[in-house]
């Protein structure tokens, strides 16, 4: 189904609105036990939790835009570990500079996923700039992340993911997603999230 308000049609046309939970499950199904996943604030970390908690998952609570910077730090600190970060469009828009930093440092082991629902959904669905035409893939490419692509559908997402997880440079995959709400919420215990993640990484 074609989507998007007029201003957004250039990059959104021909893109289905995908399910964040479905894409998250597809991601988790492809992961090795040691792969780390950083969920950003917003509904993406609820879906990451609902897809089945893994010790090497970290769930950002409270601060927007930190999934990619945290993932960059981990990817640089543990270069043999694959690191995936998931962020919402609203949060990424608040921290766009990290894309240029990631392009500059270019860790081989980092994959970035953007779940673009054109809204700050978790706080009530206020529209973000992507609703009005901001194209996060074009922005990422402009920052130097040449391997940045929109996933046109589920099969495209799977292919892009396979390419990204086997690549030797950071890839960004963005998907236009629907407005489904998660079925469950992440357990909101930041100290436990931090401690169990650090233990799984071997740093505590
Ligand atoms: C600096 C700051 N401003 C506002 C908030 C409140 N807030 C928390 S999550 C969120 C929206 C996140 O939007 P997005 O990343 O697109 O994820 P979605 O909710 O759509 O899944 C907002 C506005 C915050 N935590 N920090």
């Amino acid at each position: 189904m074609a989507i998007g308000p007029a201003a957004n049609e250039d990059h959104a046309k021909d893109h289905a609105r995908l399910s964040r939970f479905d894409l998250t499950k597809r991601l988790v199904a492809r992961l090795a036990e040691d792969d780390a996943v950083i969920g950003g604030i917003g509904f993406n970390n609820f879906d990451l939790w609902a897809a089945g908690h893994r010790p090497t998952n970290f769930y950002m609570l409270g601060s927007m835009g930190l999934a990619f910077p945290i993932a960059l730090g981990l990817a640089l600190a543990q270069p043999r570990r694959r690191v995936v970060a998931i962020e919402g469009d609203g949060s990424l828009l608040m921290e766009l500079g990290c894309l240029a930093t990631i392009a500059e440092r270019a860790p081989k082991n980092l994959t970035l996923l953007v779940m673009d629902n054109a809204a700050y959904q978790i706080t009530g669905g206020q529209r973000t700039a992507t609703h009005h035409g901001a194209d996060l893939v074009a922005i990422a490419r402009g920052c130097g992340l040449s391997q940045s692509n929109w996933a046109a559908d589920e099969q495209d997402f799977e292919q892009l993911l396979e390419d990204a997880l086997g690549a030797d440079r950071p890839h960004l995959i963005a998907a236009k997603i629907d407005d489904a709400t998660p079925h469950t919420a992440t357990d909101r215990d930041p100290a436990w999230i931090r401690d169990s993640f650090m233990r799984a990484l071997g740093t505590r």
Side-chain angles (χ1 to χ4, degrees):
M1 182 177 73
I3 60 151
N8 215 20
E9 271 175 8
D10 271 356
H11 67 271
K13 75 180 173 197
D14 302 330
H15 291 186
R17 274 199 186 271
L18 307 179
S19 154
R20 179 180 50 229
F21 188 42
D22 174 66
L23 298 185
T24 305
K25 285 187 291 188
R26 289 172 188 271
L27 164 69
V28 171
R30 283 185 175 272
L31 296 176
E33 195 179 333
D34 285 348
D35 294 341
V37 185
I38 316 295
I41 188 178
F43 279 151
N44 71 78
N45 91 49
F46 289 31
D47 280 340
L48 178 62
W49 177 269
H53 174 65
R54 307 163 57 257
T56 48
N57 283 359
F58 180 79
Y59 311 88
M60 186 67 229
L61 304 176
S63 299
M64 296 173 72
L66 293 189
F68 288 5
I70 291 169
L72 171 62
L74 177 55
L76 293 172
Q78 298 194 347
R80 285 194 293 276
R81 185 188 301 280
R82 294 192 303 189
V83 181
V84 179
I86 314 173
E87 192 63 285
D89 54 302
S91 296
L92 180 55
L93 283 163
M94 192 169 272
E95 188 68 14
L96 285 175
C98 73
L99 297 173
T101 306
I102 292 168
E104 180 207 331
R105 299 305 300 267
K108 297 177 175 179
N109 52 332
L110 180 58
T111 297
L112 308 169
L113 304 183
V114 182
M115 300 291 186
D116 183 359
N117 54 11
Y120 302 99
Q121 191 181 7
I122 198 170
T123 52
Q126 303 87 355
R127 289 176 174 176
T128 67
T130 71
H131 177 86
H132 301 287
D135 181 336
L136 291 170
V137 166
I139 291 168
R141 287 184 185 157
C143 285
L145 289 169
S146 58
Q147 300 303 313
S148 299
N149 292 286
W150 288 102
D153 55 29
E154 288 83 357
Q155 285 64 46
D156 196 25
F157 179 79
E158 294 270 5
Q159 185 60 57
L160 290 168
L161 202 50
E162 184 178 328
D163 295 347
L165 291 171
D168 62 356
R169 67 177 82 172
H171 283 220
L172 181 145
I173 305 166
K176 293 286 178 182
I177 59 163
D178 63 27
D179 61 359
T181 49
H183 297 296
T184 183
T186 308
D187 274 5
R188 297 187 75 81
D189 186 340
W192 177 83
I193 291 171
R194 178 201 59 205
D195 291 347
S196 91
F197 186 58
M198 289 180 73
R199 270 194 302 275
L201 297 182
T203 57
R204 172 164 287 220

